[in-house]
Amino acid sequence: MQFKPLLKLVRLPNVLTAACNSLAGAFCAGVGFDRWPTLAAIAFSSMSLYAAGILLNDLFDLDEDRRERPFRPLPSGAVPIWLASALACLFSVAGCLLATSVSRQVGNLALILLASVVSYDAFLKKTPAGPWAMGLCRGLNLAMGLAIAPLQIWGFIAIAGYTVYIAGITYISRQETGVISLRGLRLGFYLMLTGIGCILTAYLLMADYDRLLQNPDETAFASIILCLMIFLTRVRLIVMAWRSALEMPQPETIQQLVKTGIISLPLFDMLLVLGTTNIPAASIILAIWMSARLTARSLYTT
């Protein structure tokens, strides 16, 4: 068996973005590089649980994929079903154990996240609750990092923003197969914008304005300018991808919009981290984002 089909199966670019979510939460909770074992545990826990969810998703969809997407790794036989099943179990256990090694509260959130993942894959995917269940998974992923310290109001707003944003992407991704609904495209896009607005609100609430006003320095100003550039650039790209999907509603343009939305999420993670003017930590998120973007060129994300 070749290794690349397995990387395609677990959607490696998406797995990397999952690490960005929980790491951003940990950095915003005040975890520094001196606590690197905690950061590593949080990151690999998120990636493991995300990979488990993707594997379970394709295992539950196997019959449908055999009919509609026979080229994918499982229906094509490129990855054995037994191996995908074993890895799903392994990643599930590893993710929960790594989260529990950080704290009991983080471990409990990992268990809730795993339950949400299984519920979505097995029961909720094709129901009206499906997009919100998927969004909740991303919100809980961020919450795992934030839960290292007591949650503040901006933390709850950020979690809500991630939940709504991913719910919007999920509504849009539903249009890839079957009859494409322009109403679904519009609803998904408006939810994405609402989620982005919540993330920006969380940033504004947590930004270190006292430091900027009392002791202005180049680092604080650079953080704000960088945040504005990131925010405006990604929103512009998302809007352009949405307009393209609306003008030419076909699977290719919809997949591009979904990919743009998913790959943009780590940059919103950066936005939150820069609210603490922690540029080194934001650089870690940026490095992971660049890796996800590079791998997305050869591995699909939808």
Side-chain angles (χ1 to χ4, degrees):
M1 186 194 74
Q2 295 182 346
F3 195 56
K4 187 174 181 179
L6 184 59
L7 297 180
K8 286 185 175 181
L9 180 62
V10 299
R11 320 293 201 278
L12 180 62
N14 299 18
V15 170
L16 293 173
T17 67
C20 293
N21 300 155
S22 56
L23 281 176
F27 286 133
C28 291
V31 179
F33 291 112
D34 57 318
R35 296 174 61 185
W36 64 265
T38 295
L39 295 173
I42 283 288
F44 282 104
S45 174
S46 292
M47 290 191 291
S48 296
L49 292 172
Y50 195 101
I54 291 294
L55 290 167
L56 290 171
N57 175 76
D58 281 22
L59 286 167
F60 280 113
D61 284 353
L62 185 56
D63 289 338
E64 179 182 332
D65 284 346
R66 281 172 174 159
R67 294 191 304 270
E68 300 181 6
R69 295 171 286 272
F71 56 86
R72 286 192 168 179
L74 284 183
S76 68
V79 177
I81 295 174
W82 69 265
L83 179 59
S85 303
L87 287 175
C89 295
L90 177 63
F91 286 139
S92 297
V93 173
C96 291
L97 290 177
L98 285 167
T100 303
S101 71
V102 175
S103 73
R104 183 174 181 179
Q105 184 174 357
V106 175
N108 289 338
L109 283 172
L111 288 172
I112 297 172
L113 173 55
L114 180 60
S116 300
V117 167
V118 174
S119 298
Y120 171 82
D121 289 336
F123 311 112
L124 300 176
K125 184 186 308 178
K126 297 182 180 180
T127 71
W132 297 101
M134 176 62 82
L136 179 62
C137 291
R138 279 287 187 163
L140 288 170
N141 194 26
L142 174 69
M144 284 173 56
L146 290 173
I148 296 176
L151 275 173
Q152 302 180 43
I153 183 62
W154 61 261
F156 288 106
I157 294 174
I159 292 169
Y162 278 55
T163 301
V164 174
Y165 180 81
I166 293 299
I169 291 178
T170 308
Y171 270 112
I172 292 171
S173 68
R174 283 184 166 188
Q175 313 308 315
E176 287 183 34
T177 58
V179 179
I180 296 175
S181 168
L182 295 182
R183 181 176 179 273
L185 287 176
R186 290 191 179 96
L187 175 60
F189 176 69
Y190 296 148
L191 287 174
M192 288 177 68
L193 289 185
T194 302
I196 292 171
C198 289
I199 296 169
L200 180 62
T201 300
Y203 164 77
L204 293 174
L205 289 174
M206 70 177 293
D208 195 356
Y209 295 112
D210 289 340
R211 175 182 173 183
L212 181 61
L213 294 175
Q214 296 176 12
N215 186 28
D217 57 31
E218 294 181 359
T219 301
F221 280 114
S223 295
I224 291 176
I225 292 172
L226 185 57
C227 284
L228 290 174
M229 291 175 59
I230 292 170
F231 181 76
L232 294 175
T233 300
R234 298 319 297 183
V235 171
R236 180 175 179 271
L237 290 175
I238 290 170
V239 170
M240 290 173 59
W242 175 71
R243 285 179 175 173
S244 178
L246 207 60
E247 292 172 359
M248 295 183 293
Q250 53 193 23
E252 292 77 13
T253 57
I254 294 171
Q255 288 174 4
Q256 184 58 44
L257 173 55
V258 171
K259 179 185 289 188
T260 301
I262 293 174
I263 294 297
S264 294
L265 195 56
L267 294 179
F268 297 136
D269 293 327
M270 271 187 61
L271 185 74
L272 290 177
V273 174
L274 287 171
T276 64
T277 63
N278 191 340
I279 290 181
S283 299
I284 297 296
I285 304 294
L286 178 62
I288 298 174
W289 172 76
M290 292 176 66
S291 301
R293 189 173 181 183
L294 287 173
T295 55
R297 293 180 178 177
S298 57
L299 303 171
Y300 53 70
T301 60
T302 61

